[in-house]
Amino acid sequence: MGPTQEDVAKRARVSRALVSLVMRDSPNVSEQRRRRVLRAAEELGYRPNAFARSLASKRLHTIGVLINDVTNPYFGGVYSSLATAAEAAGFDLLVAPGTRSADKEAALVRTLLEHRVAGLALLSPLMTTKELRSLTSSWPTVLIGRDAALPGVDVVTTDELQAARLVLGHLTELGHRHIVHVTGGANRSARDRASGYRTAMRELGLESRELPGAFSHEAGQVAAREILTMAPRPTAVVAANDLVAVGAMGVFESHGLRVPDDLSVVGYDDSQIARLDLVQLTSVCQGVDHFGSAAVRLLLRRIDDPETSRAVERIETTLVVRRTTCPPRSSSVVA
Amino acid sequence: MGPTQEDVAKRARVSRALVSLVMRDSPNVSEQRRRRVLRAAEELGYRPNAFARSLASKRLHTIGVLINDVTNPYFGGVYSSLATAAEAAGFDLLVAPGTRSADKEAALVRTLLEHRVAGLALLSPLMTTKELRSLTSSWPTVLIGRDAALPGVDVVTTDELQAARLVLGHLTELGHRHIVHVTGGANRSARDRASGYRTAMRELGLESRELPGAFSHEAGQVAAREILTMAPRPTAVVAANDLVAVGAMGVFESHGLRVPDDLSVVGYDDSQIARLDLVQLTSVCQGVDHFGSAAVRLLLRRIDDPETSRAVERIETTLVVRRTTCPPRSSSVVA
DNA sequence: GCTACTGATTAGAGCGCGCTAATCGGGTAC
DNA sequence: GTACCCGATTAGCGCGCTCTAATCAGTAGC
């Protein structure tokens, strides 16, 4: 099983306790001893045992992360920023790979808890708020990409209303009035996004119209066919994410409609797909890079003081305008 | 820190040892006691402490996974299959988030080893073979998506030669003769892919031609511009992956060339992007689903017997023909 | 000389659990 | 009743480490 502090101590002819002090970078160790210990450790190829360490210290250096769907690059981005922030704070990450099924999530979180993670970061969990409450009631938890009114659970999420204002501001400025939203489904994140759309439309004095969907390419296709039957046809589509947007665009084009000339399309995520030369989708950039640092900050705060009041951090978005939006065809811009 | 077996034992009025037996599903526990213990555990909300458990048992249930680039959905797919297989075998995964930089990788692997993982699964590591050797020399390790001739290190990878034969077989059958390859760069995986292309071309009696690239959209664009200057212009392009393919396609189209009519394009990964309605890229599907089970199988074998001889498992690929390949324009199919 | 004090080192008690070996209790055989 | 056995239960050590408290050496002060 590899050498232990005991072995290192023996080789360096010092006590085991001293080895422990050196490993923990204690200041009160003479330079002479420190060097002797480090050399012995080096020679033996000693590696600290993270288990024994956390067992003894009870101060864990691991944050448990639940990812709802690993194959979704959006989560990859969030995770990546989380990893950077966690590393900077001296934490490891233990990841539970989600499978897009709500019931498995509970088991995954349980596994994380068995590893006595210092805190939980849950990326867009699908489980119900009730389950969430029972699982996280006694652990520092931060929700990412999903809101939930749970006491003691911090939240980092996109500012959906601000995002919607950004999108609709852009579209109305171009002259659009008839703008539909293809939703991401019945889950909480999707509902928040739809709600942002609805509010922003109302603020603009426009009538909102939603088509139920999902965060998938297929959902975009289905919704697009629906849109084609609408009369009068909307002049702009706000899709729940890029995948949906691109799915819809495919259908539009195969029906002889040109994007953006006949129909403007906006997505969310500013994903790789949106950036493709072939696509150049106007998309909402959710500032995913800020998610990680915000989440880690909130988590550390709560680990430090579990009783601190609930914080909700809404990350501002930006709109990346590309080539799928332009003024509507037969309509001049109305001031 | 939550209740321990001690607490459960006290509540159930039995010994701590019995609680331990119940938790490990020992057969020699009376049904009566078992129920009493389980009920007490339930009431207290007891969760086993994974650290203490592995400290005591020395049999770890965790596999360490190094992912080279989390934001790449290809790795998401591999990871996902790995997760499924690991779970089926009763293992947890501890993930180290790669950052596409070779020197950080070593530190990440070290972290994994500190967690005394039972084995390592490295997804397309970028580090040199030398580093790889020194890090993995004494731990069960499986390399995924990259080959390396290291004793005691198993490998699961795409069968690049078979894949190249598949692609080139398809293209030559359509009538193509002048087929170039945009590589993924100087890393090992890319070189293996290029090597497969070269060999398969030679087998077909064709002259190979490679353009240096990277696994990115931009690299595809750069290569495409290069291709446009070639005379005679190739009739087909085999890109290192889908991203490269799509990058190239964008440039082709913006130069008035139509895919596939003027130029056939094939990618690798059969990614979400390839499947988009707007893209419909013919692509090599690398059977990523099989990676995980193969890797876990090899790893368990080696954990069981570290001295077992090195195994290299090459996963067969399939070609998903979509709409970016067709017979070359001004050339009839030659028998 | 003795005490007081400072900084370096060590002894030793756990952390929560697994596991071996010892013990217990209640049949069965005679 | 005694001897024996076998399944059920428990005592207690050790995993590799952290951390408090104790010890040790060395210096200063008087």
Side-chain angles (χ1 to χ4, degrees), chain A residues 5 20 24 46:
Chain A
Q5 289 191 345
S20 173
R24 281 177 289 147
Y46 168 78

Side-chain angles (χ1 to χ4, degrees), chain B residues 27-73:
Chain B
N28 0 319
V29 175
S30 67
E31 193 53 33
Q32 180 201 13
R33 299 287 196 170
R34 153 168 282 123
R35 263 208 277 274
R36 220 160 86 193
V37 168
L38 288 179
R39 195 157 57 82
E42 170 77 14
E43 288 166 359
L44 290 175
Y46 167 79
R47 295 193 183 301
N49 181 326
F51 294 155
R53 168 174 291 182
S54 10
L55 222 211
S57 73
K58 320 194 81 178
R59 288 182 41 229
L60 303 210
H61 324 75
T62 307
I63 291 177
V65 182
L66 176 74
I67 300 185
N68 158 321
D69 176 12
V70 226
T71 61
N72 185 332

